[in-house]
Amino acid sequence: MPHNYNRQLQHRAGRGENTRIDAMYQVVPGNLPAAREKQSKEAKPLICSVLLGVLLIIAAVVAWCYYSASLKKLHYSKIKDLELYEDGFIIKKTDGSNLFEMGFKSAPINLESCFQDETGVWINCTNAEKEVDFFIETLKPKDSITCFNIKWRTVVLDSAVEHCMYWADGYWYGGAETSSQHWPIELSGVVDPKPYVTGDVHSLREGFGGIMERYWISDKSVAIRVNDSVPLHIGWNSSNREAFCLHARYKDSPFKLPTGQPFVQLSYQVCAGSDMKSVHRYMAKKHFKKPEVKPSERMFMYPLWSTWALYKTKVNQDKVLRYAEKIKKYQFNCSHIEIDDRYSSSYGEFDFDPVKFPNALEMLQKLSKDGFQVTLWVHPFVNYNSPNFGKGIESSYFVMDSRGRLPGLVEWWNGVAAVLDFTNPETKDWFQKKLEHLRSKYGIVSFKFDAGETSYLPVEFSTRKPLSDPSIYSKLYAEVASSHCKLGEVRIGYRTQMLPCFVRMIDRDSVWGYELGLKSVIPTALTMSILGYPFILPDMIGGNVYPNKTDGFDDIPDRELYIRWLELSAFLPAMQFSIPPWQYDDEVLKIASKFTQLRERVVGPLILRLAEEATKTGNPIIRPLWWIAPENKEAHKVDTQFLIGDDFMVAPILEKGKQTRDIYLPEGKWQSFNGDIFDNTLVHLQDYAVRLDEVAYFTRMI
């Protein structure tokens, strides 16, 4: 950013000093007349000179005072390690190098307006038009951490406030689930600021996902968290020093101005510390509530089996029973069977379709007798052709149009529907009673809560309780699910880290790459972990087998892709099958059996212990390598390895046709899955052999 500080000083100094010197030479008179009574014509010019000299002295004094005051005001542009300029600020390291840089894109401030308190804790400034109130406060919450609270207000309600971070010389993590997930974050192209709200990134791939927080952390041990009250939009420009922009506005935005608030505000906290881990742990403790309890142990130990990818909407009673029989036949354990889409006669009904499930109660009783627990797929939509649509209108259960007169209809992947309004206590009560009916009548143990993103709200809508931030709808939906979390799941997370639910990644395509493919799984898991969601449910092994989004045949994923996906999933907090291994061959069945047994014997107990730890400390189960090597630059960019806790590292194969890979081992003594010992030094293993039926994992030896 341009800095005008020195030029201003030089200009003012030159002007002030010359004026003062000129004045000094002009106030000394030559000879005054001896007799006062004789007023000659020659005395008049002398009197004028004296008066002029006095005026010049006064002007010089005023200029000097102004110059001194300007120096004092500009001196107050520095607060602790933060240097404030007209067009932004820089946080410096102790050695004088830049640690963090933020630019004021929407408007500059007037440095001469700045006022600093006597203790040096805060600075308050405005701009030339007096339309801006800018405030910085510094605090020291811990010896190793310094924080700055930034607040920018403008009274021009049609305007926007935009501050841009410059990322070119560092790595950043956090933010939101995206369709092309990278670790660290990769900025590409120029993106105008767009609403930072939850969305379905499988359908709307340029947006933000259903799991998001207003939090980012960098490898320079700096973290930023934007306040909840900000109408936040995010944009970036990868060609302009990788500018990542925080943008606040209400005009042409889904955010609504709170009643009685006469200003637009962008406020955030920036904290810097000695290392990434300590900064992150401080920020997570301050801004994220840790989960209160952990979900059911069964979900950590055994895979769940979903009907979705295998049967899609053609699921019926016979198919569910055959699915369960095959699970038993091939001797796989089971957390539960999840009956997915289209078990009901219409979307918005809460019962089994009597045509597809003629003896639903008998089916559920048989499954229970055979040791299977069952969950059902649910969602917040009531289609217009559902019998409950009329009931919802009559009882005002739906999100309404902007005038609050008619239900706000939306198009989702299964038709046209109204959306349940979870700001209305009566809606929540009705919905919960419907779920409880399924539990009591059929013995259903829990539910898969699908959707819930703001992208499935009407463009213009109103709710019983107004939502200034539309993503609060996602939060309310997750809270409704929280009473069913032991074996349940949601796919949204927004300020809901405290809920004991598994949070599922958005649907994956059956492909190898970073765009919702196998390579995106680890970056997404690490992002979810850093955002405070430890109970991660990866999507179905092999992906969803959607048409035109599948490597392999249209009805089954590529065999090698399936195997590598299965192997990775065995090391994540939960494991989910839909396409079953018996759809392939005996070798795939053998590999599936090997890794489900490894999970029960080794991985599951470790994850279970870390899940309990997460309820006490808030620490993630799945951790990036920089968690144990925060100062090592190599660890900052590894996106194909991860830690389970601090002492168990996983390095799966994620490339088609590969049976070797490079592996980064942090310092310490490590033992590999095949018994190799690597002792007390940073190691880069090149072309490390990993067969098709293997995953490279390492245990740190204490």
Side-chain angles (χ1 to χ4, degrees), residues 312 508-512 542-558 561:
K312 300 295 193 297
R508 303 286 119 170
D509 294 332
S510 300
V511 296
W512 288 91
N544 285 264
V545 204
Y546 291 127
N548 303 317
K549 296 174 182 177
T550 298
D551 289 343
F553 300 101
D554 284 342
D555 60 345
I556 193 169
D558 174 77
L561 172 67

Side-chain angles (χ1 to χ4, degrees), residues 27-52:
V27 296
V28 181
N31 290 314
L32 295 175
R36 294 189 177 201
E37 55 271 64
K38 188 175 182 180
Q39 302 290 333
S40 66
K41 292 182 179 180
E42 291 81 9
K44 291 181 180 180
L46 183 60
I47 294 171
C48 293
S49 297
V50 170
L51 292 174
L52 180 60

Side-chain angles (χ1 to χ4, degrees), residues 521-541:
V521 174
I522 293 176
T524 304
L526 293 172
T527 299
M528 292 171 68
S529 291
I530 291 301
L531 297 181
Y533 296 95
F535 308 135
I536 300 165
L537 175 60
D539 199 40
M540 299 158 193
I541 291 168

Side-chain angles (χ1 to χ4, degrees), residues 72 189 218 225 305 353 372 449 473 475 567 631 646 698:
K72 185 176 180 181
S218 86
R225 203 263 178 183
W305 299 77
D353 181 346
F372 293 102
F449 292 85
Y473 180 85
K475 181 176 184 289
E567 292 168 346
E631 302 300 326
D646 286 350
F698 301 78

Side-chain angles (χ1 to χ4, degrees), residues 227-487:
N227 291 347
D228 296 333
S229 59
V230 174
L232 183 62
H233 301 64
I234 296 292
W236 57 85
N237 184 343
S238 64
S239 62
N240 179 21
R241 300 176 57 204
E242 294 196 4
F244 184 85
C245 299
L246 311 175
H247 178 105
R249 75 168 189 267
Y250 290 106
K251 185 179 181 181
D252 301 323
S253 167
F255 293 92
K256 304 302 178 186
L257 186 69
T259 303
Q261 179 177 304
F263 53 81
V264 180
Q265 176 175 293
L266 176 60
S267 55
Y268 49 90
Q269 182 177 67
V270 180
C271 291
S274 56
D275 65 82
M276 294 174 70
K277 181 180 177 181
S278 62
V279 172
H280 171 71
R281 292 184 70 177
Y282 167 76
M283 295 293 277
K285 184 176 181 180
K286 179 176 174 62
H287 296 292
F288 304 152
K289 295 180 180 179
K290 59 181 179 291
E292 298 163 353
V293 295
K294 65 180 184 298
S296 170
E297 292 185 9
R298 295 178 63 91
M299 284 194 70
F300 295 105
M301 296 296 293
Y302 312 126
L304 70 92
W305 299 77
S306 171
T307 64
W308 171 246
L310 182 61
Y311 299 122
K312 300 295 193 297
T313 59
K314 296 178 181 179
V315 65
N316 60 35
Q317 181 172 309
D318 289 341
K319 290 176 179 177
V320 171
L321 289 173
R322 288 201 304 271
Y323 197 42
E325 288 171 3
K326 290 287 185 70
I327 295 171
K328 287 191 69 175
K329 175 182 176 181
Y330 293 108
Q331 299 181 336
F332 287 103
N333 280 324
C334 175
S335 167
H336 58 277
I337 292 176
E338 183 258 316
I339 302 177
D340 211 286
D341 192 352
R342 207 52 194 263
Y343 62 86
S344 59
S345 56
S346 63
Y347 295 108
E349 297 306 292
F350 295 84
D351 211 333
F352 285 92
D353 181 346
V355 176
K356 300 176 75 176
F357 294 86
N359 298 296
L361 181 58
E362 182 180 314
M363 175 191 72
L364 270 299
Q365 288 172 341
K366 175 173 174 48
L367 290 171
S368 177
K369 183 178 178 181
D370 290 342
F372 293 102
Q373 298 191 68
V374 177
T375 65
L376 290 179
W377 175 76
V378 294
H379 51 81
F381 306 109
V382 179
N383 277 23
Y384 71 92
N385 60 346
S386 166
N388 280 325
F389 187 77
K391 171 66 176 175
I393 293 176
E394 180 184 340
S395 302
S396 301
Y397 290 156
F398 298 142
V399 174
M400 305 297 282
D401 63 15
S402 59
R403 297 183 179 182
R405 299 171 63 182
L406 296 171
L409 298 182
V410 298
E411 185 173 2
W412 64 300
W413 65 88
N414 279 323
V416 176
V419 187
L420 293 173
D421 178 5
F422 292 113
T423 73
N424 182 352
E426 295 173 359
T427 302
K428 290 193 286 188
D429 183 62
W430 177 81
F431 187 66
Q432 293 284 20
K433 285 179 178 177
K434 292 295 185 182
L435 301 184
E436 188 55 41
H437 166 74
L438 289 167
R439 294 182 66 166
S440 60
K441 182 176 179 180
Y442 296 108
I444 299 299
V445 296
S446 193
F447 302 92
K448 171 183 177 176
F449 292 85
D450 213 352
E453 300 91 348
T454 64
S455 54
Y456 290 112
L457 292 173
V459 175
E460 296 288 339
F461 69 90
S462 61
T463 49
R464 175 70 64 89
K465 181 180 179 181
L467 298 176
S468 57
D469 176 358
S471 292
I472 295 298
Y473 180 85
S474 300
K475 181 176 184 289
L476 294 172
Y477 182 49
E479 290 172 347
V480 168
S482 64
S483 58
H484 308 279
C485 274
K486 294 299 285 184
L487 284 170

